[in-house]
Amino acid sequence: MLSADQQLEILKRATVTIHSEKELAAKLARGKPLRVKLGVDPTSPDIHLGHAVALRKLRQFQELGHQVVLIIGDFTAMIGDPSGRSSTRPPLTHEQVLANARTYTEQAFLVLERSRTEVVFNGDWFAKMPFTEVLALNARVTLQQMLQREDFKNRLAQGTEVRLHEIQYPIMQGWDSVVVRADVEIGGSDQLFNILVGRDLQKEEGMEPQVCMTLPLLEGLDGVKKMSKSLNNYVGLSEPPREMFGKLMSIADALMEKYFLLVLGEAMPADLHPMQAKKLLASRCVEIYHSAEAARDCLEDWDLRFSKRDLAQAELPLVPWTAEMTAFDLAKASFAQLGAVLSGGDIRRLLTQGSIQLNGEKLTDPKQVPAWQAGAVLKLDKKRSVRLA
RNA sequence: GGGUAGGUACCCAAGUGGCCAACGGGGGCAGACUGUAAAUCUGCUGGCUUUGCCUUCAGUGGUUCGAAUCCACUCCUGCCCA
């Protein structure tokens, strides 16, 4: 085991705040494995690179010999964390949440070590909590404290609703820390408030308060907002390699440095052409979540399709056709083949605007019946193409 | 409980009897330019068997030749008072 100082040095990397470093040093100095908590709300079935930032930090703790406590917020997910939200979340049923939780933990183990991970569900204690205890818990926190939060303050100022159950969220997350006796809790920088509530509750319970460690938030593919499923700007850990690769290639240059640091845990190589750097980023990421082989394949495929623009050689999904199909018919069939649900209007729009191309020729008239040929390449949009069977 | 302002497409928001599938912005998609990046310019953005038809403006019912727009009731939200 490394010394406390050495550990601290490693753990401090790529964090936003640590409350406090002194406390963390003291805990590490005892030489006993720490219980490091991360709460996740399974509001969607997939874990993405944004979640992975925290998971990677946990992995770092594990490699230093510490114990991870992964709290599945099956109960809190039904409330929805109000952090960073400008409106109330739509409620999820417990069945949905449990189904999500299964794929969630599965994917979390792409990063975490199973043997040093304890998985618990907070419904185990909250579902059984009597109302008297709920009230007692609420009595410890003031409304003023809760309303200090930016999210609530903004919503109040704007006259949008804040429902009472939402202000319970930080209290519940804090109580989780008490129940699992967390030594450290980590989360995104938007979790600061929630994690600090945990410290207060632990202190009141006569426990040593947890260290609060926050990590930078990873912006999504749009480069502006936090990566999230609901904004559809995410890269899922279990996405097929080529999809993962393609999504990473579409991020803005300015974002690369952060992605290198948070997704790969490396510094971005200094004097690489941005295009090369991005390819490296995408390859390394595919390598981590799939394999080196998959990464090579993606890179090759990418070069073939886009750098050399040689769709003819690329490996593409095959689409059955008949000679009398119109451009519209075949485009529709192709999208269907790829499992994409587009309305006729969308397809018509893609056609008339020149997105759909047969061997590089724009098919702008939906009703035309081109001379289809086996092996011909039909480009559908920026990312998708098919080959006639 | 009383008063008052509201509920329009993915989001914000205009429209207050026919010219409304509904101005404008954001977001999204596509084309040009590129490094499938960013920026910029242009176009599109309810559905369909698309020169036309169908379903939309919280819900239900009504007035009218004709309603997102008028009336009644219902549901929901903000604000003020209690």
Side-chain angles (χ1 to χ4, degrees), chain A residues 298-328:
Chain A
C298 286
L299 189 59
E300 241 169 69
D301 180 63
W302 178 273
D303 284 340
L304 202 58
R305 292 167 85 142
F306 302 113
S307 301
K308 295 180 193 152
R309 292 173 190 273
D310 192 1
L311 281 172
Q313 301 300 313
E315 193 187 306
L316 300 171
L318 294 175
V319 164
W321 57 283
T322 55
E324 62 274 13
M325 282 174 115
T326 61
F328 179 86

Short mmCIF file of all heavy atoms in Angstrom, two decimals, chain A residues 298-328:
data_model
loop_
_atom_site.label_atom_id
_atom_site.label_comp_id
_atom_site.label_asym_id
_atom_site.label_seq_id
_atom_site.Cartn_x
_atom_site.Cartn_y
_atom_site.Cartn_z
N CYS A 298 -12.32 0.47 -35.98
CA CYS A 298 -13.02 1.75 -36.08
C CYS A 298 -12.18 2.77 -36.83
O CYS A 298 -12.68 3.50 -37.67
CB CYS A 298 -13.30 2.31 -34.69
SG CYS A 298 -14.60 1.47 -33.82
N LEU A 299 -10.94 2.82 -36.49
CA LEU A 299 -10.04 3.78 -37.11
C LEU A 299 -9.91 3.52 -38.60
O LEU A 299 -10.00 4.43 -39.42
CB LEU A 299 -8.67 3.70 -36.43
CG LEU A 299 -7.67 4.78 -36.81
CD1 LEU A 299 -8.23 6.16 -36.46
CD2 LEU A 299 -6.35 4.57 -36.06
N GLU A 300 -9.76 2.27 -38.94
CA GLU A 300 -9.65 1.88 -40.35
C GLU A 300 -10.90 2.27 -41.10
O GLU A 300 -10.87 2.86 -42.17
CB GLU A 300 -9.51 0.36 -40.44
CG GLU A 300 -8.23 -0.12 -41.06
CD GLU A 300 -8.11 -1.61 -40.86
OE1 GLU A 300 -8.91 -2.35 -41.47
OE2 GLU A 300 -7.25 -2.03 -40.04
N ASP A 301 -12.04 1.90 -40.50
CA ASP A 301 -13.33 2.17 -41.11
C ASP A 301 -13.52 3.67 -41.30
O ASP A 301 -13.98 4.14 -42.34
CB ASP A 301 -14.43 1.62 -40.20
CG ASP A 301 -15.81 1.86 -40.78
OD1 ASP A 301 -16.09 1.32 -41.86
OD2 ASP A 301 -16.59 2.61 -40.16
N TRP A 302 -13.12 4.42 -40.29
CA TRP A 302 -13.24 5.87 -40.35
C TRP A 302 -12.41 6.44 -41.50
O TRP A 302 -12.90 7.25 -42.29
CB TRP A 302 -12.76 6.47 -39.03
CG TRP A 302 -12.82 7.96 -39.04
CD1 TRP A 302 -11.87 8.81 -39.49
CD2 TRP A 302 -13.93 8.75 -38.65
NE1 TRP A 302 -12.31 10.09 -39.38
CE2 TRP A 302 -13.58 10.09 -38.88
CE3 TRP A 302 -15.19 8.47 -38.14
CZ2 TRP A 302 -14.43 11.14 -38.60
CZ3 TRP A 302 -16.04 9.51 -37.86
CH2 TRP A 302 -15.66 10.84 -38.09
N ASP A 303 -11.17 6.03 -41.56
CA ASP A 303 -10.29 6.55 -42.60
C ASP A 303 -10.85 6.24 -43.98
O ASP A 303 -10.83 7.08 -44.87
CB ASP A 303 -8.89 5.94 -42.46
CG ASP A 303 -8.14 6.60 -41.31
OD1 ASP A 303 -8.53 7.72 -40.93
OD2 ASP A 303 -7.19 5.99 -40.79
N LEU A 304 -11.35 5.04 -44.11
CA LEU A 304 -11.89 4.60 -45.39
C LEU A 304 -13.10 5.44 -45.78
O LEU A 304 -13.21 5.94 -46.90
CB LEU A 304 -12.29 3.13 -45.26
CG LEU A 304 -12.40 2.32 -46.53
CD1 LEU A 304 -11.07 2.33 -47.27
CD2 LEU A 304 -12.81 0.90 -46.20
N ARG A 305 -13.98 5.59 -44.82
CA ARG A 305 -15.25 6.25 -45.13
C ARG A 305 -15.13 7.75 -45.26
O ARG A 305 -15.78 8.36 -46.10
CB ARG A 305 -16.27 5.94 -44.05
CG ARG A 305 -16.68 4.51 -44.06
CD ARG A 305 -17.43 4.21 -42.80
NE ARG A 305 -18.81 4.56 -42.95
CZ ARG A 305 -19.79 3.83 -42.43
NH1 ARG A 305 -19.53 2.75 -41.74
NH2 ARG A 305 -21.03 4.18 -42.60
N PHE A 306 -14.38 8.35 -44.37
CA PHE A 306 -14.40 9.81 -44.34
C PHE A 306 -13.11 10.46 -44.81
O PHE A 306 -13.15 11.39 -45.59
CB PHE A 306 -14.77 10.29 -42.94
CG PHE A 306 -16.09 9.75 -42.50
CD1 PHE A 306 -16.17 8.85 -41.46
CD2 PHE A 306 -17.24 10.11 -43.19
CE1 PHE A 306 -17.41 8.33 -41.09
CE2 PHE A 306 -18.47 9.58 -42.82
CZ PHE A 306 -18.55 8.70 -41.76
N SER A 307 -11.99 9.95 -44.34
CA SER A 307 -10.76 10.61 -44.77
C SER A 307 -10.52 10.36 -46.25
O SER A 307 -10.20 11.26 -47.00
CB SER A 307 -9.58 10.10 -43.93
OG SER A 307 -9.83 10.37 -42.57
N LYS A 308 -10.69 9.14 -46.68
CA LYS A 308 -10.49 8.85 -48.10
C LYS A 308 -11.80 8.94 -48.88
O LYS A 308 -11.83 8.81 -50.09
CB LYS A 308 -9.89 7.45 -48.28
CG LYS A 308 -8.50 7.32 -47.70
CD LYS A 308 -7.95 5.92 -47.89
CE LYS A 308 -6.72 5.72 -47.04
NZ LYS A 308 -6.53 4.31 -46.67
N ARG A 309 -12.90 9.08 -48.16
CA ARG A 309 -14.22 9.16 -48.78
C ARG A 309 -14.46 8.00 -49.74
O ARG A 309 -14.98 8.17 -50.84
CB ARG A 309 -14.39 10.47 -49.53
CG ARG A 309 -14.44 11.64 -48.58
CD ARG A 309 -14.45 12.95 -49.32
NE ARG A 309 -14.25 14.04 -48.38
CZ ARG A 309 -15.24 14.63 -47.72
NH1 ARG A 309 -16.48 14.25 -47.87
NH2 ARG A 309 -14.98 15.61 -46.88
N ASP A 310 -14.03 6.86 -49.33
CA ASP A 310 -14.12 5.71 -50.21
C ASP A 310 -15.21 4.75 -49.72
O ASP A 310 -14.93 3.70 -49.18
CB ASP A 310 -12.77 4.99 -50.25
CG ASP A 310 -12.72 3.96 -51.37
OD1 ASP A 310 -13.73 3.84 -52.09
OD2 ASP A 310 -11.70 3.28 -51.49
N LEU A 311 -16.45 5.20 -49.90
CA LEU A 311 -17.55 4.38 -49.42
C LEU A 311 -17.64 3.04 -50.14
O LEU A 311 -18.13 2.06 -49.61
CB LEU A 311 -18.87 5.13 -49.56
CG LEU A 311 -19.12 6.17 -48.46
CD1 LEU A 311 -20.36 6.98 -48.80
CD2 LEU A 311 -19.28 5.51 -47.12
N ALA A 312 -17.16 3.04 -51.39
CA ALA A 312 -17.30 1.83 -52.20
C ALA A 312 -16.61 0.64 -51.54
O ALA A 312 -17.07 -0.49 -51.65
CB ALA A 312 -16.71 2.08 -53.59
N GLN A 313 -15.49 0.93 -50.85
CA GLN A 313 -14.74 -0.16 -50.22
C GLN A 313 -15.27 -0.50 -48.82
O GLN A 313 -14.96 -1.56 -48.30
CB GLN A 313 -13.26 0.24 -50.07
CG GLN A 313 -12.58 0.57 -51.38
CD GLN A 313 -12.59 -0.61 -52.32
OE1 GLN A 313 -12.28 -1.73 -51.92
NE2 GLN A 313 -12.98 -0.37 -53.57
N ALA A 314 -16.00 0.42 -48.24
CA ALA A 314 -16.39 0.24 -46.85
C ALA A 314 -17.41 -0.88 -46.69
O ALA A 314 -18.14 -1.23 -47.62
CB ALA A 314 -16.96 1.54 -46.30
N GLU A 315 -17.41 -1.40 -45.50
CA GLU A 315 -18.34 -2.47 -45.17
C GLU A 315 -19.64 -1.81 -44.70
O GLU A 315 -19.64 -1.08 -43.72
CB GLU A 315 -17.71 -3.25 -44.02
CG GLU A 315 -18.33 -4.56 -43.70
CD GLU A 315 -17.68 -5.11 -42.43
OE1 GLU A 315 -16.44 -5.20 -42.39
OE2 GLU A 315 -18.42 -5.38 -41.48
N LEU A 316 -20.73 -2.03 -45.44
CA LEU A 316 -21.97 -1.34 -45.11
C LEU A 316 -23.12 -2.33 -44.98
O LEU A 316 -23.07 -3.41 -45.56
CB LEU A 316 -22.32 -0.34 -46.23
CG LEU A 316 -21.29 0.76 -46.51
CD1 LEU A 316 -21.67 1.52 -47.78
CD2 LEU A 316 -21.21 1.71 -45.34
N PRO A 317 -24.14 -1.94 -44.25
CA PRO A 317 -25.31 -2.83 -44.15
C PRO A 317 -25.94 -3.01 -45.53
O PRO A 317 -25.98 -2.06 -46.32
CB PRO A 317 -26.27 -2.07 -43.23
CG PRO A 317 -25.47 -1.00 -42.59
CD PRO A 317 -24.30 -0.71 -43.49
N LEU A 318 -26.42 -4.20 -45.81
CA LEU A 318 -27.03 -4.48 -47.11
C LEU A 318 -28.53 -4.28 -47.05
O LEU A 318 -29.17 -4.59 -46.05
CB LEU A 318 -26.72 -5.92 -47.53
CG LEU A 318 -25.23 -6.20 -47.79
CD1 LEU A 318 -25.02 -7.68 -48.07
CD2 LEU A 318 -24.73 -5.35 -48.94
N VAL A 319 -29.05 -3.75 -48.14
CA VAL A 319 -30.49 -3.49 -48.21
C VAL A 319 -31.06 -4.15 -49.46
O VAL A 319 -30.53 -3.98 -50.55
CB VAL A 319 -30.74 -1.97 -48.27
CG1 VAL A 319 -32.14 -1.66 -48.71
CG2 VAL A 319 -30.47 -1.33 -46.93
N PRO A 320 -32.12 -4.93 -49.28
CA PRO A 320 -32.76 -5.55 -50.45
C PRO A 320 -33.52 -4.50 -51.26
O PRO A 320 -33.97 -3.50 -50.70
CB PRO A 320 -33.73 -6.56 -49.82
CG PRO A 320 -33.94 -6.13 -48.41
CD PRO A 320 -32.77 -5.29 -48.01
N TRP A 321 -33.65 -4.72 -52.56
CA TRP A 321 -34.30 -3.71 -53.41
C TRP A 321 -34.95 -4.39 -54.60
O TRP A 321 -34.68 -5.56 -54.89
CB TRP A 321 -33.26 -2.72 -53.90
CG TRP A 321 -32.12 -3.38 -54.64
CD1 TRP A 321 -31.08 -4.06 -54.08
CD2 TRP A 321 -31.95 -3.48 -56.05
NE1 TRP A 321 -30.26 -4.56 -55.03
CE2 TRP A 321 -30.76 -4.23 -56.26
CE3 TRP A 321 -32.66 -3.00 -57.15
CZ2 TRP A 321 -30.28 -4.52 -57.54
CZ3 TRP A 321 -32.18 -3.28 -58.42
CH2 TRP A 321 -30.99 -4.04 -58.61
N THR A 322 -35.82 -3.64 -55.28
CA THR A 322 -36.36 -4.11 -56.56
C THR A 322 -36.25 -2.94 -57.54
O THR A 322 -36.19 -1.78 -57.11
CB THR A 322 -37.86 -4.51 -56.44
OG1 THR A 322 -38.58 -3.41 -55.91
CG2 THR A 322 -38.03 -5.72 -55.53
N ALA A 323 -36.23 -3.27 -58.82
CA ALA A 323 -35.95 -2.27 -59.85
C ALA A 323 -36.98 -1.15 -59.89
O ALA A 323 -36.67 -0.01 -60.25
CB ALA A 323 -35.87 -2.93 -61.22
N GLU A 324 -38.23 -1.45 -59.52
CA GLU A 324 -39.25 -0.40 -59.67
C GLU A 324 -39.41 0.52 -58.45
O GLU A 324 -40.28 1.37 -58.41
CB GLU A 324 -40.61 -1.03 -60.04
CG GLU A 324 -41.19 -1.97 -59.01
CD GLU A 324 -40.65 -3.40 -59.20
OE1 GLU A 324 -39.65 -3.61 -59.96
OE2 GLU A 324 -41.21 -4.31 -58.59
N MET A 325 -38.54 0.34 -57.44
CA MET A 325 -38.66 1.20 -56.25
C MET A 325 -38.26 2.64 -56.58
O MET A 325 -37.29 2.88 -57.28
CB MET A 325 -37.74 0.69 -55.15
CG MET A 325 -38.28 -0.52 -54.41
SD MET A 325 -37.04 -1.13 -53.24
CE MET A 325 -37.87 -0.82 -51.71
N THR A 326 -39.01 3.60 -56.00
CA THR A 326 -38.63 5.00 -56.17
C THR A 326 -37.53 5.32 -55.16
O THR A 326 -37.27 4.56 -54.23
CB THR A 326 -39.82 5.93 -55.86
OG1 THR A 326 -40.22 5.72 -54.51
CG2 THR A 326 -40.99 5.64 -56.77
N ALA A 327 -36.94 6.48 -55.35
CA ALA A 327 -35.89 6.92 -54.42
C ALA A 327 -36.45 6.95 -53.01
O ALA A 327 -35.82 6.53 -52.05
CB ALA A 327 -35.39 8.30 -54.82
N PHE A 328 -37.68 7.44 -52.89
CA PHE A 328 -38.33 7.52 -51.59
C PHE A 328 -38.49 6.13 -50.97
O PHE A 328 -38.16 5.93 -49.80
CB PHE A 328 -39.71 8.18 -51.75
CG PHE A 328 -40.47 8.29 -50.46
CD1 PHE A 328 -40.29 9.38 -49.62
CD2 PHE A 328 -41.38 7.31 -50.09
CE1 PHE A 328 -40.98 9.48 -48.42
CE2 PHE A 328 -42.07 7.41 -48.89
CZ PHE A 328 -41.88 8.49 -48.06
#
